[in-house]
Amino acid sequence: MKTLAERPDDQLPVLSMTGSRSAPTRHHTLRAAVEYSYGLCSEPARLLWSRLSVFTGGATLESVLDVCADDALPRHEVENALTELVDKSIVAFDATRYQMLVSIRAFGRERLLALGEDMVVRSAHRDHFAAMAGDSAGDWPPANWRRLRRLVSEHANLRAALEFCLSQRSEVAAGLRLASVLWTFWNGCGLSREGRHWLGELLALSESRAPNA
């Protein structure tokens, strides 16, 4: 029998079907398996599971600690909870990054919303990756190629941060700052079309908020 961390990544809709009698039996079975695994976790691990759901494409330990730790879940408890989630095959670790399957993340997102922490943790995620982008800003080519490689590896999380800014009118200014910082990165990597897309979407939303719009 495969562990949860070995199951395919095509189950995202499953976990949004809570209580749906029309969902296929295998969907209910998977959800029951995820809920059972959740029930076996300690409280700190459950909380971390929910917070890890804000990451797209995985995260380094540094990012997990920076985004997920707070007074309710101190850094040392984050590390212990992360080890527990790896041991229980909820989180996979490839020696550099911690990752969850889409279905596991979807369940964690449900829990994050239920806890009322979605905005707080997503804001922390945005701030973390905005700071990372700011540290890597500069002329092209960058003086520190390690920082460039880091931005490339976190491209999915940078997109998630921009999506968050687009989803909240109060975050548009932060999104524009992030997109502006990332322009050199996009342009240098041949992704100027993507950069124009994000800037265009954010500018359009910003203009729609103007008093005379």
Side-chain angles (χ1 to χ4, degrees), residues 102-180:
V102 175
S103 54
I104 306 302
R105 283 184 56 233
F107 183 84
R109 181 64 187 281
E110 285 185 11
R111 300 310 309 154
L112 191 67
L113 288 166
L115 291 168
E117 288 196 338
D118 185 60
M119 285 292 295
V120 172
V121 182
R122 292 181 74 190
S123 294
H125 175 276
R126 187 269 326 280
D127 291 344
H128 173 75
F129 288 102
M132 181 186 298
D135 288 342
S136 301
D139 296 331
W140 196 267
N144 192 329
W145 286 98
R146 182 181 178 184
R147 290 180 177 176
L148 170 63
R149 290 194 296 271
R150 190 179 186 192
L151 283 184
V152 171
S153 68
E154 300 294 357
H155 200 178
N157 278 309
L158 291 167
R159 287 169 171 163
L162 288 165
E163 286 285 2
F164 170 64
C165 294
L166 275 174
S167 71
Q168 305 293 327
R169 285 183 173 270
S170 62
E171 301 295 332
V172 174
L176 283 169
R177 288 193 296 271
L178 175 56
S180 297

Side-chain angles (χ1 to χ4, degrees), residues 27 52 64 85 104 106 112 128 130 159 189 210:
H27 290 182
L52 286 173
V64 171
L85 291 174
I104 306 302
L112 191 67
H128 173 75
R159 287 169 171 163
C189 291

Side-chain angles (χ1 to χ4, degrees), residues 24-138:
T25 301
R26 69 183 183 87
H27 290 182
H28 291 298
T29 301
L30 176 59
R31 184 177 184 90
V34 175
E35 289 178 338
Y36 178 75
S37 295
Y38 182 79
L40 294 177
C41 293
S42 66
E43 285 300 324
R46 292 180 188 182
L47 182 56
L48 181 60
W49 182 341
S50 70
R51 293 180 178 182
L52 286 173
S53 68
V54 301
F55 292 101
T56 303
T60 63
L61 177 60
E62 178 187 353
S63 293
V64 171
L65 290 170
D66 196 37
V67 173
C68 299
D70 62 6
D71 292 341
L73 191 64
R75 293 173 73 90
H76 71 276
E77 288 194 19
V78 169
E79 295 193 51
N80 292 336
L82 194 55
T83 298
E84 179 182 340
L85 291 174
V86 171
D87 289 344
K88 286 182 165 62
S89 297
I90 302 301
V91 171
F93 181 57
D94 65 3
T96 57
R97 298 180 72 79
Y98 294 89
Q99 302 192 54
M100 293 192 294
L101 296 183
V102 175
S103 54
I104 306 302
R105 283 184 56 233
F107 183 84
R109 181 64 187 281
E110 285 185 11
R111 300 310 309 154
L112 191 67
L113 288 166
L115 291 168
E117 288 196 338
D118 185 60
M119 285 292 295
V120 172
V121 182
R122 292 181 74 190
S123 294
H125 175 276
R126 187 269 326 280
D127 291 344
H128 173 75
F129 288 102
M132 181 186 298
D135 288 342
S136 301

